[in-house]
Amino acid sequence: MYTCKHRSNQYVSDSVLTKHVINRRCVEAAVMTGLALNCSINKRSLFDRKHYFYADLPAGYQITQQRVPIAVNGTLSYSLCTDHKMSQMVTKTVRIKQIQLEQDSGKSLHDDSRSQTLVDLNRAGVGLMEVVMEPDMCCGKEAAAAVRELQLILQTLGSSHAVMAEGQLRVDANVSVHHPGEPYGVRTEVKNINSLRFLAKAVDYEIQRQIEELENGGTIPNETRAFDSKLGCTVPMRDKEGRQDYRFMPEPNLPPLILYDTKSLPANINHQQVVNIDRIHERLPDLPSVKRAKLVEQYGILPEHSFTLLNEDGLTEFFESVVKRTQMKPKKVIGWILNDLLSYLNQHSLTVKESPVNSSMLADLLNLLEKKEISSTAAKQVLGELWKGEGKTPLEIVKEKKLELIQDQEALEQICQAVIDGQKNEVMAIKAGNHKVLNKLIGLVQRKTQGRSNPVLVKQLLEKKLLE
């Protein structure tokens, strides 16, 4: 996977270099990815030339692995929620057909306002790893969930930073529709999708477009399309060439790629000159699925919460840092992180690393709450002040705003009595057996104390007085 942040065509030379060599790091990354996706690694794979003309392919051909790719026949398990609250998760599996090493092409930049296309060749010729999935997904939501899981795996392995917005991970979605029990219909390919949200929208739009076209008596051409994020639809780019038009041939400049395992490794060979599949397997880190299971087991959180922690870059580390620094139980900490921290970050389009509230600040705040020095209402008020990024500590804000819990029980009893005296109808309802009304009285005491009373203590005092 590759991206370029430099000025267009900054690294393009007038001289042409035609001799190709294999990048060892690319091979190791492909093997590691194949193992993580449960693939069979081919110890002997081949390179081919795929001929076609396009403006961003200056050589007129692409080096790929059409005949014998480096890895085949894998699986990728992914999970997605079945409701908006993420309380119901379902796990599905998509088959991996193959993983192949290729040359990347250049990048076409379409300027609709000027009716012209520019070409950036900075990344042309750089090694690319392509993961080909089987047609096992039926909607945009599934496609996005599968690619998100793949993205997490690639980032965990170090195969790629896989930041879609920077072009390090791109998706070509092949979509076709058919009636159950019938063969797949003609497919269209939606090229170079650069976000999970756009992927889900593009797939769902294309499915609906093809269904409507067929129901109206039309046909689906085998074509390449692009997703227009502004219009929310796919648009035609060009007709797809048939396989016979690519004129595949063995790549003459690259010999077969030979890999070894421990059993097949020749004696007295320099280990630095070969790629050992078994040694790569030994270095595999914990994959996202294993990390989620450990989070659930270690902290007692819900499985769906573990998905959220891993899906947000840096959130797992933030959570674990808070847990280490606070006396609050992890089950309570996760609520503050997911319901308060994450909702604020999403609302302001911030990443975890950009949060004005760091893990130490949140831990200090939760410690004040856990020690019953402030109420949960006051804690939320303090958190609101922390978001301003003024450099104040939670304790400084508590003292400045006078948010400490009222420790004078006698004064609190007087406030409770005043609330009871002013709510005769509610008191009668409670004495008649409607104990839910007690929550209203607790709320009134909280209002009078500006959130500085302990709700548990207030409830006990009210119950005591109502029984007198």
Side-chain angles (χ1 to χ4, degrees):
M1 303 297 176
Y2 173 75
T3 188
C4 186
K5 300 179 181 178
H6 303 286
R7 177 170 52 84
S8 297
N9 300 320
Q10 182 176 354
Y11 297 110
V12 179
S13 172
D14 291 335
S15 61
V16 180
L17 301 177
T18 58
K19 194 68 175 178
H20 306 290
V21 294
I22 298 176
N23 185 318
R24 179 190 179 95
R25 171 61 185 139
C26 289
V27 174
E28 292 177 336
V31 172
M32 184 174 288
T33 304
L35 293 172
L37 296 177
N38 308 301
C39 292
S40 297
I41 307 299
N42 285 323
K43 294 180 183 177
R44 184 178 186 273
S45 58
L46 305 174
F47 291 95
D48 308 280
R49 283 191 182 184
K50 177 182 179 181
H51 294 84
Y52 64 95
F53 173 78
Y54 202 63
D56 58 14
L57 193 71
Y61 66 86
Q62 179 189 36
I63 297 178
T64 183
Q65 290 190 306
Q66 188 262 344
R67 291 173 295 164
V68 185
I70 193 169
V72 295
N73 301 331
T75 56
L76 169 65
S77 294
Y78 63 96
S79 298
L80 65 160
C81 57
T82 57
D83 59 10
H84 295 294
K85 297 181 180 180
M86 287 195 68
S87 58
Q88 296 292 330
M89 303 290 293
V90 59
T91 300
K92 297 195 173 187
T93 300
V94 56
R95 292 169 294 156
I96 305 297
K97 181 180 180 181
Q98 64 191 56
I99 297 175
Q100 59 201 42
L101 291 172
E102 296 185 343
Q103 270 185 316
D104 204 351
S105 61
K107 181 179 181 181
S108 297
L109 305 169
H110 303 289
D111 188 345
D112 295 332
S113 62
R114 298 182 180 181
S115 299
Q116 65 181 11
T117 297
L118 304 177
V119 179
D120 182 355
L121 296 176
N122 274 338
R123 72 187 190 196
V126 173
L128 177 75
M129 178 173 63
E130 181 169 297
V131 180
V132 183
M133 300 180 183
E134 297 283 9
D136 296 334
M137 295 161 285
C138 64
C139 65
K141 190 175 184 179
E142 289 188 9
V147 172
R148 176 54 178 155
E149 187 70 11
L150 174 62
Q151 185 181 38
L152 289 172
I153 290 174
L154 294 173
Q155 292 169 341
T156 300
L157 297 175
S159 299
S160 170
H161 293 301
V163 179
M164 297 188 73
E166 297 180 1
Q168 296 164 345
L169 173 63
R170 308 190 296 275
V171 178
D172 297 338
N174 289 276
V175 182
S176 69
V177 298
H178 67 109
H179 290 291
E182 295 183 0
Y184 292 114
V186 177
R187 64 183 172 89
T188 59
E189 183 178 27
V190 186
K191 295 284 289 185
N192 291 326
I193 304 171
N194 64 355
S195 87
L196 296 175
R197 186 164 57 91
F198 292 165
L199 172 60
K201 289 184 176 181
V203 170
D204 288 339
Y205 175 86
E206 189 60 18
I207 290 172
Q208 191 59 36
R209 184 191 71 83
Q210 292 187 21
I211 290 175
E212 291 178 359
E213 183 70 24
L214 293 172
E215 288 180 345
N216 291 329
T219 59
I220 304 298
N222 186 9
E223 64 180 351
T224 299
R225 299 177 72 89
F227 180 68
D228 189 319
S229 58
K230 294 180 181 178
L231 298 176
C233 65
T234 64
V235 294
M237 290 177 63
R238 59 184 181 269
D239 291 336
K240 287 283 287 183
E241 295 185 69
R243 175 168 293 191
Q244 67 276 11
D245 293 329
Y246 287 133
R247 302 186 306 282
F248 283 101
M249 60 170 280
E251 168 54 50
N253 290 326
L254 291 178
L257 175 59
I258 307 299
L259 307 177
Y260 298 92
D261 56 20
T262 303
K263 292 182 179 179
S264 63
L265 192 67
N268 302 321
I269 196 169
N270 186 344
H271 292 271
Q272 299 300 319
Q273 295 180 348
V274 298
V275 174
N276 188 327
I277 300 170
D278 290 335
R279 291 190 66 181
I280 293 176
H281 193 278
E282 291 171 359
R283 301 202 309 266
L284 282 179
D286 285 345
L287 297 179
S289 57
V290 176
K291 289 183 178 179
R292 293 189 195 100
K294 287 185 176 181
L295 286 171
V296 172
E297 181 180 356
Q298 182 175 353
Y299 300 111
I301 62 177
L302 296 175
E304 52 266 29
H305 291 164
S306 69
F307 276 90
T308 306
L309 287 178
L310 257 70
N311 280 344
E312 299 293 331
D313 186 28
L315 194 59
T316 300
E317 293 77 12
F318 191 101
F319 165 73
E320 291 185 319
S321 178
V322 173
V323 169
K324 288 178 183 178
R325 296 168 182 264
T326 184
Q327 301 170 6
M328 183 176 284
K329 292 182 178 179
K331 287 184 178 181
K332 290 184 178 180
V333 173
I334 194 70
W336 278 88
I337 287 180
L338 299 188
N339 298 331
D340 296 278
L341 177 85
L342 195 56
S343 61
Y344 176 90
L345 295 178
N346 290 337
Q347 183 180 350
H348 293 83
S349 299
L350 295 174
T351 65
V352 175
K353 294 179 181 179
E354 295 169 336
S355 172
V357 179
N358 59 39
S359 59
S360 177
M361 294 164 67
L362 183 59
D364 289 345
L365 174 60
L366 297 184
N367 279 333
L368 292 174
L369 179 61
E370 191 67 14
K371 293 176 183 177
K372 295 182 171 52
E373 295 183 21
I374 59 173
S375 66
S376 59
T377 303
K380 291 183 184 295
Q381 188 175 341
V382 173
L383 187 58
E385 292 295 320
L386 290 173
W387 288 128
K388 297 178 181 179
E390 296 176 348
K392 299 176 183 177
T393 67
L395 184 58
E396 288 173 343
I397 295 172
V398 167
K399 291 182 177 180
E400 180 183 304
K401 301 291 182 180
K402 298 181 180 180
L403 297 174
E404 304 96 331
L405 282 178
I406 297 175
Q407 302 298 331
D408 188 342
Q409 185 167 327
E410 184 177 340
L412 197 56
E413 286 182 357
Q414 292 177 359
I415 296 173
C416 289
Q417 187 61 55
V419 168
I420 290 174
D421 294 341
Q423 304 293 323
K424 294 183 178 180
N425 292 336
E426 283 75 7
V427 170
M428 291 176 60
I430 294 171
K431 291 185 175 181
N434 188 357
H435 298 288
K436 291 183 179 180
V437 181
L438 182 62
N439 292 327
K440 180 180 178 180
L441 300 187
I442 296 173
L444 291 172
V445 174
Q446 286 284 78
R447 188 182 303 172
K448 281 183 174 293
T449 60
Q450 297 180 324
R452 297 178 58 209
S453 55
N454 185 340
V456 176
L457 178 58
V458 169
K459 182 180 179 182
Q460 293 173 352
L461 294 176
L462 289 172
E463 288 175 339
K464 178 182 176 182
K465 290 184 173 295
L466 290 170
L467 292 175
E468 289 178 353

